[in-house]
Amino acid sequence: ERSQDVQESVDDSYSQVDALLSVRSELDVTEALPATWGWTASPDFLRELTRIIRLHSSQHSVESGSGVSTLIAALALEKYGCGRILALENEKEFVYRTREYLQLHGVQGNTKVTHAPMTEYQVENKHIEW
């Protein structure tokens, strides 16, 4: 069973590397990308995001949170000639980091990253952050 787990892990890793290379190639990425592990969008998600923008791009998109997905969406919108993105980000650090990557890749013109801190609300006697 352990060898099967190892094989599945290797297969998943290979799949993620393949997806990231596909995105980099399709979007002609030459500069460094933010990390695509941990709390970020996975390469297979980024490949799907690129495909959706290529096939069904809209004029305006809103993203909750910012980071590598914001950058990939901006690159795809730039390549396929349409749309703008508004990314709402809770953490100031991510606002600045995302803006830096957008500038590094020259796509800051079609994307706005706004600091939008979470606020606590009470809805039907429940406290939620939004």
Side-chain angles (χ1 to χ4, degrees):
E1 174 146 344
R2 178 139 170 89
S3 66
Q4 183 178 354
D5 291 343
V6 169
Q7 185 62 50
E8 287 175 6
S9 179
V10 168
D11 290 347
D12 183 56
S13 294
Y14 177 83
S15 175
Q16 294 302 321
V17 169
D18 184 55
L20 186 58
L21 291 173
S22 174
V23 168
R24 289 184 65 94
S25 175
E26 179 174 348
L27 299 179
D28 305 316
V29 175
T30 58
E31 300 294 338
L33 291 174
T36 57
W37 50 267
W39 288 49
T40 188
S42 63
D44 56 349
F45 173 81
L46 298 173
R47 181 175 54 200
E48 183 65 12
L49 177 62
T50 301
R51 186 187 75 77
I52 289 169
I53 290 171
R54 179 174 17 90
L55 297 176
H56 309 287
S57 58
S58 63
Q59 289 301 309
H60 301 284
S61 300
V62 177
E63 181 178 27
S64 179
S66 72
V68 69
S69 59
T70 310
L71 174 59
I72 295 300
L75 288 165
L77 288 171
E78 180 81 10
K79 179 169 184 169
Y80 298 112
C82 57
R84 294 182 46 81
I85 302 165
L86 170 62
L88 305 174
E89 176 56 60
N90 179 51
E91 299 290 334
K92 277 188 180 181
E93 176 187 346
F94 286 108
V95 169
Y96 299 124
R97 287 173 54 189
T98 302
R99 286 177 181 165
E100 286 175 0
Y101 274 105
L102 292 166
Q103 187 171 16
L104 175 67
H105 289 266
V107 290
Q108 68 275 17
N110 67 2
T111 305
K112 182 176 182 180
V113 182
T114 300
H115 183 230
M118 298 284 235
T119 303
E120 188 172 295
Y121 294 94
Q122 185 169 339
V123 178
E124 296 178 3
N125 297 324
K126 294 181 185 176
H127 293 280
I128 60 168
E129 284 190 352
W130 179 249

